[in-house]
Amino acid sequence: SGNLLQISVKEQGLFHKKDSANQGYLRKIYLLDTTTAERACKAIEDAQSVRHQQKLVKQSSLKLLVP
């Protein structure tokens, strides 16, 4: 909203406690103007989409390799 970019960040640790309620946090970043915030948001969404597509391709290729 405006020049404020709010990002939800998940914990990336190797070992998670099953009863841990704190799985992530919200990071707030104030940018110079709304155009910069919109471009950053779009870039993050594009990167997430590419990462998701790579994950799907990897899963399907693993299925083909396992008899």
Side-chain angles (χ1 to χ4, degrees), residues 19-54:
D19 60 347
S20 177
N22 189 10
Q23 295 293 326
Y25 55 93
L26 185 67
R27 171 159 276 180
K28 295 180 181 181
I29 303 169
Y30 291 94
L31 298 169
L32 296 176
D33 57 6
T34 58
T35 306
T36 305
E38 289 171 358
R39 287 175 52 202
C41 186
K42 177 75 171 133
I44 291 169
E45 288 174 349
D46 289 345
Q48 286 176 331
S49 176
V50 168
R51 178 75 174 147
H52 182 68
Q53 290 296 322
Q54 290 173 343

Side-chain angles (χ1 to χ4, degrees), residues 2-3 5 14 18 23 27 30 36 46 50 56 60 64-65:
N3 64 340
L5 183 63
L14 290 175
K18 289 185 179 182
Q23 295 293 326
R27 171 159 276 180
Y30 291 94
T36 305
D46 289 345
V50 168
L56 291 175
S60 63
L64 293 174
L65 293 175

